[in-house]
Amino acid sequence: MRKFILQSALFVLVCLILLICFHLTIQNLRNDYLKLPENVNKVFLGNSTFEYGINDSRIPNAINFAQNAEPIDITYAKIKLLQKYNNSIDTIFVELDDINLYNDRFASVLSNSIYFDAYDKADWQANLQMYELSRFFSFFAHAYDVIKVRPIVENHFKSHNIECLGVGGYQDLFRNKLDEDIMRFHSETASAKKTKLVPTGVDYYFTKIVDFCAHKNLTIIFLNTPKHKTAWADTTYREYWSEKFPSIRFIDCTQMNLPDSCFADREHLNYRGARLFSDYLTKTLRDE
């Protein structure tokens, strides 16, 4: 029995050592992807509205690192990691609208070991207190999935950029679901109205992002993409901004008037809308 226990303990120890070595290898490979070209000084971070709505190829010296369904705690991790490896970054654009303001969910597809070292002890303690255990553990559950590790390893031996990490970057959206989405919206007679109570975790990480940018002398600008006019009533984000961060610049483009042909659905621009909006951003930033 004693021999079995010792052998089991040794087996666990070997597995743990192998996991640590594997993790450190992935982290070292990750660091190479995070190094952006020296001319990049602007980064756009948010969820799918940014991923599909901001064509960074049309915005000089910019990179779009947004990802579908990305919650604000992942955005925080990305900001810290990008700043660590890129001294040229001086401006961070962070999505602020009713979509990400109430998004404290965490899909397993977002779990990734590359974020682990971006959180400090206080962050991990806060995560345990603010989130349900199921969400906390889902952060680790699929962190080393083959689908996440494979592109990091494979692309490392090729010409690669930050998008090859597989956790963000602009994508053309060819969806054509606006009419269907509007019909669904009008048919929801008993739709639940959003509460004004912002999830604790979301508020915590928005504050952490603002404080981190101030500490690192980074300019943070809140931004959102145009929404279809049927979504213009979702404006709790403006109250949150004016109450919490009135000194932070906010480029609110929700009610930017674009034709229906520019929308994939009520909340997302398609590739045509992304081109128009990105050109507008370029002109806005150039004229400052």
Side-chain angles (χ1 to χ4, degrees), residues 124-138:
W124 289 118
Q125 291 175 338
N127 289 342
L128 279 170
Q129 295 171 358
M130 295 181 303
Y131 297 122
E132 295 181 357
L133 281 178
S134 58
R135 186 193 191 277
F136 181 80
F137 287 123
S138 68

Side-chain angles (χ1 to χ4, degrees), residues 40-286:
V40 173
N41 72 316
K42 297 182 287 290
V43 180
F44 294 89
L45 292 155
N47 58 37
S48 57
T49 62
F50 272 30
E51 180 184 26
Y52 301 124
I54 299 176
N55 186 340
D56 50 1
S57 69
R58 306 178 75 88
I59 305 174
N61 312 117
I63 187 77
N64 181 350
F65 199 30
Q67 183 181 21
N68 185 29
E70 181 174 300
I72 196 65
D73 49 314
I74 296 297
T75 295
Y76 166 74
K78 286 183 175 181
I79 291 173
K80 291 190 69 176
L81 291 173
L82 287 171
Q83 187 279 331
K84 181 177 180 180
Y85 295 101
N86 299 280
N87 294 328
S88 61
I89 294 177
D90 57 37
T91 306
I92 306 289
F93 292 85
V94 176
E95 178 184 0
L96 177 57
D97 54 25
D98 276 15
I99 299 174
N100 72 334
L101 192 59
Y102 291 99
N103 179 25
D104 62 349
R105 301 179 301 277
F106 192 90
S108 60
V109 69
L110 298 169
S111 173
N112 202 304
S113 63
I114 67 171
Y115 302 128
F116 289 174
D117 61 338
Y119 302 98
D120 57 30
K121 181 180 178 181
D123 296 332
W124 289 118
Q125 291 175 338
N127 289 342
L128 279 170
Q129 295 171 358
M130 295 181 303
Y131 297 122
E132 295 181 357
L133 281 178
S134 58
R135 186 193 191 277
F136 181 80
F137 287 123
S138 68
F139 190 89
F140 302 94
H142 297 275
Y144 297 100
D145 284 355
V146 173
I147 195 173
K148 297 165 185 176
V149 173
R150 183 176 176 179
I152 298 176
V153 176
E154 283 188 349
N155 290 316
H156 183 73
F157 302 98
K158 307 173 185 176
S159 176
H160 60 264
N161 55 34
I162 196 171
E163 292 183 4
C164 293
L165 272 174
V167 292
Y170 171 73
Q171 295 187 55
D172 283 324
L173 184 59
F174 298 97
R175 183 189 304 155
N176 184 23
K177 299 287 186 179
L178 177 60
D179 291 341
E180 180 181 324
D181 199 17
I182 292 174
M183 290 179 60
R184 185 186 306 111
F185 169 70
H186 288 310
S187 67
E188 292 175 351
T189 56
S191 60
K193 190 175 180 61
K194 288 187 177 74
T195 174
K196 289 186 179 292
L197 184 63
V198 175
T200 305
V202 173
D203 181 59
Y204 173 86
Y205 279 107
F206 263 112
T207 302
K208 288 281 289 192
I209 287 172
V210 170
D211 290 345
F212 177 79
C213 288
H215 178 66
K216 296 295 183 179
N217 293 318
L218 298 171
T219 297
I220 179 173
I221 299 175
F222 290 134
L223 170 72
N224 56 35
T225 59
K227 309 293 190 297
H228 189 263
K229 59 186 177 182
T230 56
W232 287 1
D234 297 334
T235 58
T236 305
Y237 67 91
R238 291 199 62 84
E239 299 173 20
Y240 179 76
W241 165 70
S242 62
E243 292 175 3
K244 290 280 296 187
F245 310 111
S247 62
I248 304 298
R249 182 184 177 190
F250 186 12
I251 304 177
D252 185 1
C253 299
T254 292
Q255 297 187 21
M256 183 176 175
N257 205 358
L258 292 176
D260 287 2
S261 61
C262 288
F263 291 94
D265 52 46
R266 295 175 59 244
E267 297 175 332
H268 296 87
L269 296 172
N270 60 24
Y271 69 99
R272 288 186 291 265
R275 284 203 302 259
L276 288 175
F277 179 59
S278 301
D279 290 345
Y280 164 80
L281 279 179
T282 297
K283 183 177 185 303
T284 298
L285 298 174
R286 185 181 60 232

